[in-house]
Amino acid sequence: MTGIIFSSIIKDLKTATESSDHPFRHFTLATSSTDGTPRMRTVVLRDIDDTLNLMIYTDKRSKKTTHIHDHNSVSLLFTDAKRFLQISILAKAEIISNNSMLQTIWEQIPQKSRKDYSTQLPPGQEISNPAAIDYLEGAHFFSAIKFTPHHIEYLRLKRPDHIRVAFKKEYNDWNSSYLVP
């Protein structure tokens, strides 16, 4: 049965990259700040490859990139309130530095979405009001982050028995075990 659960996780994650209304499309990313303080934010799942590497897009000046540079262990949390389902992933994060790859991704981003990566001020900078954001012409700070999972936990709350399963990557195989919910 754990194989069926693992397949359902992969299917949900792949569907989330294609469907903007899938509950896993937006998830919580947790990093550690330079002083060790946990930091969480909502991000958008953009891609998942055949080896389960996940990808998001970001402004290269964001705090998350600074945190990942300092400490690349991260946690991802996907939730589906309707199904009482939670997927928690521990992963290693890597900021994509291959300019050719970034350019290929950039060219696929719709024009209206590109402005998110071309603000004059970096993310998190204080401004007087939301309309006070200035954008750069012909320049951007687009970047992407890849997450390589090594531990996945599945938790489904249901009656008569909740189901919790841990999947651990050992070499190239995923091993599973049931856990007490």
Side-chain angles (χ1 to χ4, degrees):
M1 180 159 156
T2 61
I4 294 169
I5 291 171
F6 193 73
S7 294
S8 74
I9 293 169
I10 295 168
K11 182 179 180 214
D12 270 326
L13 292 171
K14 285 185 178 186
T15 303
T17 66
E18 301 160 0
S19 173
S20 61
D21 62 350
H22 192 285
F24 288 179
R25 176 75 171 182
H26 299 91
F27 67 96
T28 302
L29 167 64
T31 60
S32 296
S33 69
T34 53
D35 67 0
T37 304
R39 297 287 304 267
M40 295 184 295
R41 78 278 289 152
T42 301
V43 293
V44 180
L45 181 61
R46 301 295 184 173
D47 193 27
I48 179 172
D49 66 19
D50 292 336
T51 58
L52 299 186
N53 293 312
L54 305 141
M55 187 175 295
I56 65 166
Y57 303 158
T58 191
D59 184 308
K60 66 176 73 173
R61 302 169 296 171
S62 69
K63 293 286 186 194
K64 70 179 98 36
T65 61
T66 303
H67 298 164
I68 289 168
H69 263 294
D70 292 343
H71 188 72
N72 70 345
S73 292
V74 298
S75 183
L76 319 175
L77 182 64
F78 299 84
T79 59
D80 182 341
K82 289 182 180 173
R83 292 188 287 167
F84 300 101
L85 176 62
Q86 170 182 294
I87 307 297
S88 177
I89 299 176
L90 299 178
K92 293 293 182 189
E94 174 189 350
I95 299 166
I96 303 299
S97 58
N98 181 313
N99 288 330
S100 173
M101 179 185 285
L102 289 172
Q103 185 61 32
T104 299
I105 298 168
W106 178 253
E107 290 169 2
Q108 296 172 9
I109 295 174
Q111 277 305 124
K112 65 180 171 118
S113 299
R114 290 183 182 188
K115 73 177 197 165
D116 296 338
Y117 311 102
S118 62
T119 59
Q120 191 169 11
L121 296 173
Q125 186 76 32
E126 191 172 309
I127 54 175
S128 59
N129 66 69
I133 299 173
D134 292 319
Y135 296 92
L136 302 170
E137 290 292 326
H140 62 81
F141 296 95
F142 175 75
S143 187
I145 302 172
K146 177 176 85 170
F147 303 106
T148 303
H150 55 84
H151 184 97
I152 300 172
E153 277 196 26
Y154 170 99
L155 175 62
R156 178 102 189 257
L157 303 177
K158 62 181 231 168
R159 295 287 175 214
D161 299 309
H162 303 314
I163 300 171
R164 184 174 176 192
V165 182
F167 299 92
K168 295 178 185 175
K169 190 172 187 179
E170 296 171 2
Y171 304 101
N172 289 326
D173 294 325
W174 286 93
N175 297 313
S176 63
S177 57
Y178 286 101
L179 303 173
V180 175

